[in-house]
């Protein structure tokens, strides 16, 4: 695992983002204490497997989209989304590709309106809803993170308003 991590970091000239030493996390009622944010609840989803910062995510996605991290054949797989119907994903009902598959081997494609194609990923855990998206050429990008106070996370219309402002999209 160490070699794989080093290989991912070297093209970006990145320093490790290990947060296992703890970070100050605000507490209700004020104050903050160091908390090991790498410990996750037992929810069985992959999005809990990474702890990072908004600038790290933006730099990583930009380098990935520009082809700086993968060999060309693997890079092509990132943008190969099968043309098949969506299967039980309620977030795929927006734009000209509504109700079609959105996931490739590592990214999610979003086409919120004709001529606008965004690539990225989303993730939610209790207390955190986040996403990173960019145009395919990485000329525009967005990283956001909300800290909702319910287990349901941040409603989609709220997330869409943020993306609409970043990518000049029409309102819902």
């Amino acid at each position: 695992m160490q070699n794989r991590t080093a290989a991912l970091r070297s093209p970006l000239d990145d320093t490790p983002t290990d947060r296992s030493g703890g970070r100050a996390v605000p507490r209700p009622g004020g104050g903050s204490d160091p908390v090991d944010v790498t410990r996750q609840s037992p929810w069985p989803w992959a999005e809990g497997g990474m702890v990072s910062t908004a600038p790290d995510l933006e730099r990583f996605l930009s380098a990935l989209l520009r082809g700086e991290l993968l060999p060309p054949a693997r890079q092509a797989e990132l943008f190969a989304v099968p043309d098949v119907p969506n299967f039980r994903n309620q977030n795929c009902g927006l734009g000209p590709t509504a109700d079609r598959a959105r996931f490739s081997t590592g990214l999610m494609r979003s086409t919120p309106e004709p001529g606008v194609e965004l690539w990225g990923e989303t993730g939610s855990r209790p207390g955190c809803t986040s996403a990173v998206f960019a145009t395919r050429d990485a000329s525009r990008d967005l990283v956001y993170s909300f800290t909702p106070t319910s287990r349901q996370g941040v409603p989609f219309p709220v997330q869409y308003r943020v993306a609409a402002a970043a990518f000049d999209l029409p309102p819902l």
Side-chain angles (χ1 to χ4, degrees):
M1 187 61 159
Q2 182 63 31
N3 289 340
R4 181 178 293 161
T5 302
L8 287 174
R9 289 185 184 142
S10 62
L12 298 175
D13 192 29
D14 197 4
T15 56
T17 56
D18 178 35
R19 305 292 188 226
S20 59
R23 294 187 59 147
V25 176
R27 296 286 185 205
S32 61
D33 300 307
V35 175
D36 182 357
V37 297
T38 62
R39 295 212 178 260
Q40 298 290 323
S41 68
W43 288 32
W45 298 106
E47 66 266 16
M50 187 169 104
V51 176
S52 192
T53 65
D56 285 348
L57 288 173
E58 186 275 333
R59 190 169 60 246
F60 173 77
L61 184 61
S62 292
L64 184 65
L65 294 175
R66 288 190 309 261
E68 297 174 11
L69 301 179
L70 298 173
R74 293 282 185 191
Q75 183 76 10
E77 291 176 10
L78 283 178
F79 303 107
V81 176
D83 187 20
V84 297
N86 167 42
F87 181 71
R88 293 190 305 175
N89 186 334
Q90 60 192 1
N91 297 323
C92 292
L94 181 67
T97 58
D99 302 320
R100 303 304 294 168
R102 298 221 177 182
F103 294 93
S104 69
T105 58
L107 294 174
M108 181 173 83
R109 177 184 63 198
S110 179
T111 311
E113 70 172 21
V116 177
E117 186 176 80
L118 306 174
W119 294 86
E121 240 343 308
T122 62
S124 291
R125 305 293 285 170
C128 182
T129 297
S130 60
V132 56
F133 280 95
T135 55
R136 185 168 174 169
D137 66 0
S139 63
R140 292 182 89 172
D141 58 41
L142 168 68
V143 179
Y144 66 75
S145 181
F146 294 100
T147 52
T149 56
S150 73
R151 288 185 67 172
Q152 285 74 37
V154 176
F156 176 75
V158 173
Q159 295 177 60
Y160 181 84
R161 282 196 304 266
V162 172
F167 295 109
D168 297 323
L169 301 173
L172 285 176

